[in-house]
Amino acid sequence: MGGANGDSSIWSAFGTGGYDNEPPLLEELGIHFDAIKAKQEPSPSPSLSGSSSSGQEVSKDDDDDLVGPVMFLLVLGASLLLRGKVAFQSVYSLYLLGVFAIFCILNLMNTHPEGIAWSRTMSILGYSLLPMVFLSCIAIVLPCSNSSSSSSVFGLSLAGAVVVAWCTVISTSAFVRTLHMNEQRLLVAYPIGLFYTCFALMTVY
């Protein structure tokens, strides 16, 4: 009997069935796709929230999660690798340098007594990279090289400009909600736009 119970426990641990009332593996790892989707909506309202599939409350201002940004950066580096560019170090270095610079700028501009934490800055900038990941995947199919036609280069460059604007609006909206800096929205958006422009240049060209 003991051997049978032991075999059953091992099979439950490594099998796909799992135990009763056990949450999905992705949720145990802290990956909530409902939260990722909510953070892609540049709504000015600070109180929008929803519920994940597990019933967990998902707030758009709960931006300290770093699982999504790490995953997005990994996918971005992998898509560049498929185009023959070994750029993992460049991607992470640019991201960390940009996070540090924007963290310093926002805290110098901010009049909020608590300021913003570095982890929240990393999370907001990282989650807003999702459109850039899509652009990088498109560039695998339609690469921008010397042999590419002028229409292909123009189309990919135009897509890059749209993606930079998209990322900037999403990220700026999150920072404005967090720091209550609605009157300084354009000043917040300027360095963030430069940050995503660097990623677009790396992705497109």
Side-chain angles (χ1 to χ4, degrees), residues 75-157:
V75 174
L76 181 61
S79 62
L80 292 175
L81 183 62
L82 291 176
R83 295 171 53 194
K85 298 180 180 180
V86 184
F88 286 99
Q89 182 176 356
S90 300
V91 167
Y92 281 97
S93 298
L94 176 60
Y95 173 70
L96 293 176
L97 180 62
V99 166
F100 176 74
I102 292 174
F103 167 76
C104 294
I105 292 172
L106 290 178
N107 278 297
L108 288 174
M109 294 172 55
N110 176 41
T111 57
H112 198 268
E114 296 181 358
I116 187 169
W118 68 269
S119 58
R120 177 157 295 191
T121 306
M122 292 182 69
S123 182
I124 292 175
L125 292 174
Y127 270 106
S128 301
L129 267 175
L130 182 58
M132 196 69 64
V133 175
F134 292 152
L135 177 65
S136 183
C137 294
I138 294 174
I140 297 175
V141 183
L142 302 172
C144 185
S145 60
N146 295 331
S147 59
S148 302
S149 62
S150 58
S151 59
S152 176
V153 173
F154 175 77
L156 199 57
S157 300

Side-chain angles (χ1 to χ4, degrees), residues 180-203:
H180 309 288
M181 298 173 66
N182 193 48
E183 296 181 355
Q184 299 174 293
R185 180 181 291 268
L186 293 179
L187 293 177
V188 173
Y190 179 69
I192 294 174
L194 294 178
F195 171 73
Y196 290 117
T197 299
C198 294
F199 273 101
L201 291 173
M202 182 187 301
T203 300

Side-chain angles (χ1 to χ4, degrees), residues 41-53:
E41 300 172 0
S43 169
S45 174
S47 60
L48 291 180
S49 61
S51 298
S52 65
S53 58

